[in-house]
Amino acid sequence: MATEFVIFTDESVKDGAYFSNFYGGVLVRSRDLLRVTAQLSECKAEQNLHGELKWTKVTENYLDKYKTVMDAFFDLVAADLAKVRIMFTNNTYVPQGLTSEQRQSEYHRLYYQFIKHGFGLVFSNEEHDEPKRVRLNMDQMPTSREETAKFKSFIEALSRNPEMRRANVDFDKRQIAEVDSKDHDLLQCLDVVLGAMTFRLNNQHQVKPAGQSRRGKRTVAKEKLYKHISARVRVIYPHFNIGESTGTQGDLVNRWRHPYRHWKLVPRNHDRDMTRTKP
């Protein structure tokens, strides 16, 4: 009998001050999905959070409630009931030699790389030797129906990738869906984590309103939530560096094993523009 991995994906800032092209994903084994979603739903209800959680909605009044939900989420991550992956690019690495078609399709090309490599699926045989099926629930994509259909066909073709075949991992475009984050607490939690990392890596915690000498209350609340999330990540991985790719400690299988990882994607053909370095 095939094992099913359910992956929820989202994306955030495309052009940040220092880091761009943020993609995030959370993987749950289908056997754990009901338990995971029930725990998050119950936690939200206990906090009287009946609407959609979003990073953009974080305020001082809701800070403690969001912290509580993030604790419930990271309890699941620490227990390896959910695996989180965050991918981004550093603006100092400037791609070279791209065609106009490659630039135009950058959004889907990066998404493809994230799904192909982000979770280390080619190493998942360590856990399951039997066939594995991937079900993708992707936050609604800002692209045309034709572009999205073409993208899904490329994802389905991953099933024919030699490494995926050796790992018994199968993609079926009928199992690739665009979903509304309002209906999925896992996507909402992912949005908050992705937003927190985007916020800190692009120094948005330092932003002050025009003409003001102090930061706004919402910015202060977001920084506090980022620090809370960062502390939870560092319980799993002490001294975690959010702006670099997470190491494998000498074993590539950790790309699958680890419950939480970051990936700084560096173009194979690039120049460095040090004027875009983060201060």
Side-chain angles (χ1 to χ4, degrees), residues 85-86 88 233 237 240-249 254-255 258 260-264:
R85 302 292 188 264
I86 305 293
F88 48 82
V233 172
Y237 302 117
F240 190 89
N241 186 340
I242 69 168
E244 295 293 338
S245 295
T246 307
T248 60
Q249 291 81 52
N254 282 327
R255 291 178 179 171
H258 283 167
Y260 187 97
R261 291 181 61 83
H262 281 195
W263 178 18
K264 183 181 75 175

PDB file of all heavy atoms in Angstrom, residues 85-86 88 233 237 240-249 254-255 258 260-264:
ATOM      1  N   ARG A  85       9.864  23.605   5.383  1.00  0.00           N
ATOM      2  CA  ARG A  85      10.972  24.033   4.545  1.00  0.00           C
ATOM      3  C   ARG A  85      10.726  25.466   4.068  1.00  0.00           C
ATOM      4  O   ARG A  85       9.619  25.805   3.636  1.00  0.00           O
ATOM      5  CB  ARG A  85      11.119  23.112   3.320  1.00  0.00           C
ATOM      6  CG  ARG A  85      11.341  21.636   3.668  1.00  0.00           C
ATOM      7  CD  ARG A  85      12.684  21.415   4.324  1.00  0.00           C
ATOM      8  NE  ARG A  85      13.002  20.009   4.510  1.00  0.00           N
ATOM      9  CZ  ARG A  85      12.794  19.334   5.646  1.00  0.00           C
ATOM     10  NH1 ARG A  85      12.229  19.944   6.685  1.00  0.00           N
ATOM     11  NH2 ARG A  85      13.145  18.061   5.744  1.00  0.00           N
ATOM     12  N   ILE A  86      11.786  26.287   4.130  1.00  0.00           N
ATOM     13  CA  ILE A  86      11.745  27.667   3.653  1.00  0.00           C
ATOM     14  C   ILE A  86      12.877  27.849   2.649  1.00  0.00           C
ATOM     15  O   ILE A  86      14.033  27.516   2.938  1.00  0.00           O
ATOM     16  CB  ILE A  86      11.935  28.680   4.809  1.00  0.00           C
ATOM     17  CG1 ILE A  86      10.907  28.447   5.934  1.00  0.00           C
ATOM     18  CG2 ILE A  86      11.869  30.112   4.278  1.00  0.00           C
ATOM     19  CD1 ILE A  86       9.481  28.730   5.563  1.00  0.00           C
ATOM     20  N   PHE A  88      14.724  30.681  -0.239  1.00  0.00           N
ATOM     21  CA  PHE A  88      14.807  32.093  -0.626  1.00  0.00           C
ATOM     22  C   PHE A  88      16.106  32.304  -1.391  1.00  0.00           C
ATOM     23  O   PHE A  88      16.982  31.422  -1.439  1.00  0.00           O
ATOM     24  CB  PHE A  88      14.776  32.990   0.620  1.00  0.00           C
ATOM     25  CG  PHE A  88      15.723  32.553   1.706  1.00  0.00           C
ATOM     26  CD1 PHE A  88      17.072  32.894   1.674  1.00  0.00           C
ATOM     27  CD2 PHE A  88      15.266  31.755   2.746  1.00  0.00           C
ATOM     28  CE1 PHE A  88      17.943  32.468   2.651  1.00  0.00           C
ATOM     29  CE2 PHE A  88      16.134  31.314   3.744  1.00  0.00           C
ATOM     30  CZ  PHE A  88      17.485  31.663   3.695  1.00  0.00           C
ATOM     31  N   VAL A 233      12.552  27.525  16.756  1.00  0.00           N
ATOM     32  CA  VAL A 233      13.422  26.856  15.796  1.00  0.00           C
ATOM     33  C   VAL A 233      14.728  26.450  16.462  1.00  0.00           C
ATOM     34  O   VAL A 233      15.240  25.343  16.262  1.00  0.00           O
ATOM     35  CB  VAL A 233      13.701  27.763  14.575  1.00  0.00           C
ATOM     36  CG1 VAL A 233      14.759  27.144  13.666  1.00  0.00           C
ATOM     37  CG2 VAL A 233      12.423  28.018  13.792  1.00  0.00           C
ATOM     38  N   TYR A 237      17.213  23.302  16.570  1.00  0.00           N
ATOM     39  CA  TYR A 237      18.580  23.450  16.078  1.00  0.00           C
ATOM     40  C   TYR A 237      19.233  24.650  16.748  1.00  0.00           C
ATOM     41  O   TYR A 237      19.045  25.791  16.315  1.00  0.00           O
ATOM     42  CB  TYR A 237      18.598  23.661  14.559  1.00  0.00           C
ATOM     43  CG  TYR A 237      17.947  22.562  13.768  1.00  0.00           C
ATOM     44  CD1 TYR A 237      16.819  22.800  13.002  1.00  0.00           C
ATOM     45  CD2 TYR A 237      18.468  21.274  13.795  1.00  0.00           C
ATOM     46  CE1 TYR A 237      16.225  21.788  12.282  1.00  0.00           C
ATOM     47  CE2 TYR A 237      17.873  20.252  13.084  1.00  0.00           C
ATOM     48  CZ  TYR A 237      16.752  20.514  12.331  1.00  0.00           C
ATOM     49  OH  TYR A 237      16.157  19.510  11.630  1.00  0.00           O
ATOM     50  N   PHE A 240      20.793  28.212  15.048  1.00  0.00           N
ATOM     51  CA  PHE A 240      20.260  28.178  13.687  1.00  0.00           C
ATOM     52  C   PHE A 240      20.479  29.527  13.008  1.00  0.00           C
ATOM     53  O   PHE A 240      20.184  30.580  13.580  1.00  0.00           O
ATOM     54  CB  PHE A 240      18.769  27.850  13.730  1.00  0.00           C
ATOM     55  CG  PHE A 240      18.168  27.554  12.385  1.00  0.00           C
ATOM     56  CD1 PHE A 240      18.170  26.261  11.876  1.00  0.00           C
ATOM     57  CD2 PHE A 240      17.575  28.549  11.627  1.00  0.00           C
ATOM     58  CE1 PHE A 240      17.610  25.968  10.639  1.00  0.00           C
ATOM     59  CE2 PHE A 240      17.005  28.281  10.397  1.00  0.00           C
ATOM     60  CZ  PHE A 240      17.022  26.979   9.896  1.00  0.00           C
ATOM     61  N   ASN A 241      21.008  29.509  11.785  1.00  0.00           N
ATOM     62  CA  ASN A 241      21.241  30.725  10.999  1.00  0.00           C
ATOM     63  C   ASN A 241      20.138  30.824   9.957  1.00  0.00           C
ATOM     64  O   ASN A 241      20.107  30.047   8.999  1.00  0.00           O
ATOM     65  CB  ASN A 241      22.614  30.672  10.326  1.00  0.00           C
ATOM     66  CG  ASN A 241      22.966  31.978   9.622  1.00  0.00           C
ATOM     67  OD1 ASN A 241      22.110  32.796   9.298  1.00  0.00           O
ATOM     68  ND2 ASN A 241      24.251  32.177   9.376  1.00  0.00           N
ATOM     69  N   ILE A 242      19.240  31.782  10.113  1.00  0.00           N
ATOM     70  CA  ILE A 242      18.079  31.844   9.229  1.00  0.00           C
ATOM     71  C   ILE A 242      18.441  32.266   7.815  1.00  0.00           C
ATOM     72  O   ILE A 242      17.676  32.027   6.876  1.00  0.00           O
ATOM     73  CB  ILE A 242      16.978  32.771   9.784  1.00  0.00           C
ATOM     74  CG1 ILE A 242      17.420  34.239   9.757  1.00  0.00           C
ATOM     75  CG2 ILE A 242      16.552  32.341  11.184  1.00  0.00           C
ATOM     76  CD1 ILE A 242      16.293  35.210  10.018  1.00  0.00           C
ATOM     77  N   GLY A 243      19.603  32.899   7.612  1.00  0.00           N
ATOM     78  CA  GLY A 243      19.961  33.411   6.295  1.00  0.00           C
ATOM     79  C   GLY A 243      20.839  32.497   5.478  1.00  0.00           C
ATOM     80  O   GLY A 243      21.294  32.883   4.391  1.00  0.00           O
ATOM     81  N   GLU A 244      21.091  31.272   5.954  1.00  0.00           N
ATOM     82  CA  GLU A 244      21.932  30.314   5.239  1.00  0.00           C
ATOM     83  C   GLU A 244      21.202  28.979   5.096  1.00  0.00           C
ATOM     84  O   GLU A 244      20.262  28.695   5.842  1.00  0.00           O
ATOM     85  CB  GLU A 244      23.258  30.093   5.973  1.00  0.00           C
ATOM     86  CG  GLU A 244      24.146  31.329   6.036  1.00  0.00           C
ATOM     87  CD  GLU A 244      24.681  31.747   4.674  1.00  0.00           C
ATOM     88  OE1 GLU A 244      24.729  30.905   3.754  1.00  0.00           O
ATOM     89  OE2 GLU A 244      25.050  32.940   4.524  1.00  0.00           O
ATOM     90  N   SER A 245      21.680  28.173   4.165  1.00  0.00           N
ATOM     91  CA  SER A 245      21.122  26.831   4.017  1.00  0.00           C
ATOM     92  C   SER A 245      21.481  25.993   5.240  1.00  0.00           C
ATOM     93  O   SER A 245      22.615  26.041   5.726  1.00  0.00           O
ATOM     94  CB  SER A 245      21.680  26.148   2.763  1.00  0.00           C
ATOM     95  OG  SER A 245      21.268  26.819   1.596  1.00  0.00           O
ATOM     96  N   THR A 246      20.513  25.239   5.730  1.00  0.00           N
ATOM     97  CA  THR A 246      20.743  24.366   6.880  1.00  0.00           C
ATOM     98  C   THR A 246      21.688  23.237   6.474  1.00  0.00           C
ATOM     99  O   THR A 246      21.516  22.618   5.432  1.00  0.00           O
ATOM    100  CB  THR A 246      19.413  23.774   7.378  1.00  0.00           C
ATOM    101  OG1 THR A 246      18.489  24.850   7.611  1.00  0.00           O
ATOM    102  CG2 THR A 246      19.609  22.980   8.660  1.00  0.00           C
ATOM    103  N   GLY A 247      22.681  22.975   7.296  1.00  0.00           N
ATOM    104  CA  GLY A 247      23.654  21.937   6.994  1.00  0.00           C
ATOM    105  C   GLY A 247      23.066  20.542   7.111  1.00  0.00           C
ATOM    106  O   GLY A 247      21.953  20.342   7.615  1.00  0.00           O
ATOM    107  N   THR A 248      23.836  19.572   6.659  1.00  0.00           N
ATOM    108  CA  THR A 248      23.385  18.174   6.709  1.00  0.00           C
ATOM    109  C   THR A 248      24.189  17.344   7.705  1.00  0.00           C
ATOM    110  O   THR A 248      23.961  16.141   7.820  1.00  0.00           O
ATOM    111  CB  THR A 248      23.486  17.516   5.320  1.00  0.00           C
ATOM    112  OG1 THR A 248      24.851  17.555   4.889  1.00  0.00           O
ATOM    113  CG2 THR A 248      22.604  18.233   4.313  1.00  0.00           C
ATOM    114  N   GLN A 249      25.124  17.981   8.409  1.00  0.00           N
ATOM    115  CA  GLN A 249      25.956  17.271   9.388  1.00  0.00           C
ATOM    116  C   GLN A 249      26.609  16.020   8.786  1.00  0.00           C
ATOM    117  O   GLN A 249      26.726  14.975   9.435  1.00  0.00           O
ATOM    118  CB  GLN A 249      25.155  16.887  10.642  1.00  0.00           C
ATOM    119  CG  GLN A 249      24.732  18.076  11.498  1.00  0.00           C
ATOM    120  CD  GLN A 249      23.487  18.776  10.969  1.00  0.00           C
ATOM    121  OE1 GLN A 249      22.473  18.135  10.723  1.00  0.00           O
ATOM    122  NE2 GLN A 249      23.556  20.071  10.801  1.00  0.00           N
ATOM    123  N   ASN A 254      19.748  13.794   5.879  1.00  0.00           N
ATOM    124  CA  ASN A 254      19.149  14.778   6.781  1.00  0.00           C
ATOM    125  C   ASN A 254      18.301  15.803   6.039  1.00  0.00           C
ATOM    126  O   ASN A 254      17.480  16.493   6.658  1.00  0.00           O
ATOM    127  CB  ASN A 254      20.231  15.481   7.601  1.00  0.00           C
ATOM    128  CG  ASN A 254      20.722  14.621   8.749  1.00  0.00           C
ATOM    129  OD1 ASN A 254      19.957  13.843   9.320  1.00  0.00           O
ATOM    130  ND2 ASN A 254      21.994  14.747   9.099  1.00  0.00           N
ATOM    131  N   ARG A 255      18.481  15.894   4.730  1.00  0.00           N
ATOM    132  CA  ARG A 255      17.587  16.775   3.956  1.00  0.00           C
ATOM    133  C   ARG A 255      16.145  16.278   4.044  1.00  0.00           C
ATOM    134  O   ARG A 255      15.205  17.067   3.894  1.00  0.00           O
ATOM    135  CB  ARG A 255      18.035  16.827   2.490  1.00  0.00           C
ATOM    136  CG  ARG A 255      19.353  17.548   2.291  1.00  0.00           C
ATOM    137  CD  ARG A 255      19.773  17.541   0.833  1.00  0.00           C
ATOM    138  NE  ARG A 255      21.027  18.256   0.643  1.00  0.00           N
ATOM    139  CZ  ARG A 255      21.721  18.265  -0.491  1.00  0.00           C
ATOM    140  NH1 ARG A 255      21.258  17.602  -1.545  1.00  0.00           N
ATOM    141  NH2 ARG A 255      22.849  18.932  -0.577  1.00  0.00           N
ATOM    142  N   HIS A 258      15.384  16.003   8.733  1.00  0.00           N
ATOM    143  CA  HIS A 258      15.196  17.193   9.557  1.00  0.00           C
ATOM    144  C   HIS A 258      13.754  17.696   9.531  1.00  0.00           C
ATOM    145  O   HIS A 258      13.146  17.789   8.462  1.00  0.00           O
ATOM    146  CB  HIS A 258      16.110  18.316   9.075  1.00  0.00           C
ATOM    147  CG  HIS A 258      17.533  18.148   9.487  1.00  0.00           C
ATOM    148  ND1 HIS A 258      18.561  18.894   8.953  1.00  0.00           N
ATOM    149  CD2 HIS A 258      18.110  17.331  10.406  1.00  0.00           C
ATOM    150  CE1 HIS A 258      19.704  18.542   9.502  1.00  0.00           C
ATOM    151  NE2 HIS A 258      19.459  17.597  10.386  1.00  0.00           N
ATOM    152  N   TYR A 260      12.872  20.777  10.269  1.00  0.00           N
ATOM    153  CA  TYR A 260      12.824  22.184   9.877  1.00  0.00           C
ATOM    154  C   TYR A 260      14.139  22.518   9.169  1.00  0.00           C
ATOM    155  O   TYR A 260      15.219  22.253   9.704  1.00  0.00           O
ATOM    156  CB  TYR A 260      12.640  23.091  11.096  1.00  0.00           C
ATOM    157  CG  TYR A 260      12.420  24.549  10.746  1.00  0.00           C
ATOM    158  CD1 TYR A 260      11.136  25.089  10.694  1.00  0.00           C
ATOM    159  CD2 TYR A 260      13.491  25.394  10.452  1.00  0.00           C
ATOM    160  CE1 TYR A 260      10.931  26.424  10.351  1.00  0.00           C
ATOM    161  CE2 TYR A 260      13.302  26.717  10.108  1.00  0.00           C
ATOM    162  CZ  TYR A 260      12.025  27.226  10.057  1.00  0.00           C
ATOM    163  OH  TYR A 260      11.821  28.536   9.704  1.00  0.00           O
ATOM    164  N   ARG A 261      14.035  23.111   7.970  1.00  0.00           N
ATOM    165  CA  ARG A 261      15.233  23.473   7.213  1.00  0.00           C
ATOM    166  C   ARG A 261      15.010  24.755   6.408  1.00  0.00           C
ATOM    167  O   ARG A 261      13.896  25.040   5.973  1.00  0.00           O
ATOM    168  CB  ARG A 261      15.625  22.354   6.226  1.00  0.00           C
ATOM    169  CG  ARG A 261      16.134  21.088   6.873  1.00  0.00           C
ATOM    170  CD  ARG A 261      16.527  20.040   5.824  1.00  0.00           C
ATOM    171  NE  ARG A 261      17.581  20.520   4.958  1.00  0.00           N
ATOM    172  CZ  ARG A 261      18.886  20.480   5.262  1.00  0.00           C
ATOM    173  NH1 ARG A 261      19.274  19.987   6.427  1.00  0.00           N
ATOM    174  NH2 ARG A 261      19.802  20.922   4.415  1.00  0.00           N
ATOM    175  N   HIS A 262      16.114  25.490   6.203  1.00  0.00           N
ATOM    176  CA  HIS A 262      16.138  26.624   5.285  1.00  0.00           C
ATOM    177  C   HIS A 262      17.055  26.291   4.115  1.00  0.00           C
ATOM    178  O   HIS A 262      18.024  25.535   4.258  1.00  0.00           O
ATOM    179  CB  HIS A 262      16.667  27.884   5.978  1.00  0.00           C
ATOM    180  CG  HIS A 262      15.657  28.571   6.830  1.00  0.00           C
ATOM    181  ND1 HIS A 262      15.824  29.861   7.293  1.00  0.00           N
ATOM    182  CD2 HIS A 262      14.463  28.155   7.321  1.00  0.00           C
ATOM    183  CE1 HIS A 262      14.774  30.201   8.037  1.00  0.00           C
ATOM    184  NE2 HIS A 262      13.945  29.181   8.059  1.00  0.00           N
ATOM    185  N   TRP A 263      16.739  26.871   2.957  1.00  0.00           N
ATOM    186  CA  TRP A 263      17.550  26.672   1.754  1.00  0.00           C
ATOM    187  C   TRP A 263      17.757  28.012   1.073  1.00  0.00           C
ATOM    188  O   TRP A 263      16.807  28.607   0.560  1.00  0.00           O
ATOM    189  CB  TRP A 263      16.845  25.693   0.814  1.00  0.00           C
ATOM    190  CG  TRP A 263      17.555  25.434  -0.487  1.00  0.00           C
ATOM    191  CD1 TRP A 263      18.872  25.678  -0.788  1.00  0.00           C
ATOM    192  CD2 TRP A 263      16.974  24.883  -1.676  1.00  0.00           C
ATOM    193  NE1 TRP A 263      19.140  25.302  -2.080  1.00  0.00           N
ATOM    194  CE2 TRP A 263      18.008  24.809  -2.642  1.00  0.00           C
ATOM    195  CE3 TRP A 263      15.687  24.427  -2.001  1.00  0.00           C
ATOM    196  CZ2 TRP A 263      17.774  24.318  -3.928  1.00  0.00           C
ATOM    197  CZ3 TRP A 263      15.469  23.936  -3.275  1.00  0.00           C
ATOM    198  CH2 TRP A 263      16.504  23.881  -4.221  1.00  0.00           C
ATOM    199  N   LYS A 264      19.003  28.495   1.112  1.00  0.00           N
ATOM    200  CA  LYS A 264      19.371  29.686   0.340  1.00  0.00           C
ATOM    201  C   LYS A 264      19.786  29.216  -1.046  1.00  0.00           C
ATOM    202  O   LYS A 264      20.858  28.660  -1.231  1.00  0.00           O
ATOM    203  CB  LYS A 264      20.522  30.443   1.019  1.00  0.00           C
ATOM    204  CG  LYS A 264      20.900  31.733   0.289  1.00  0.00           C
ATOM    205  CD  LYS A 264      22.055  32.454   0.967  1.00  0.00           C
ATOM    206  CE  LYS A 264      23.378  31.758   0.695  1.00  0.00           C
ATOM    207  NZ  LYS A 264      24.523  32.508   1.256  1.00  0.00           N
TER     208      LYS A 264
END
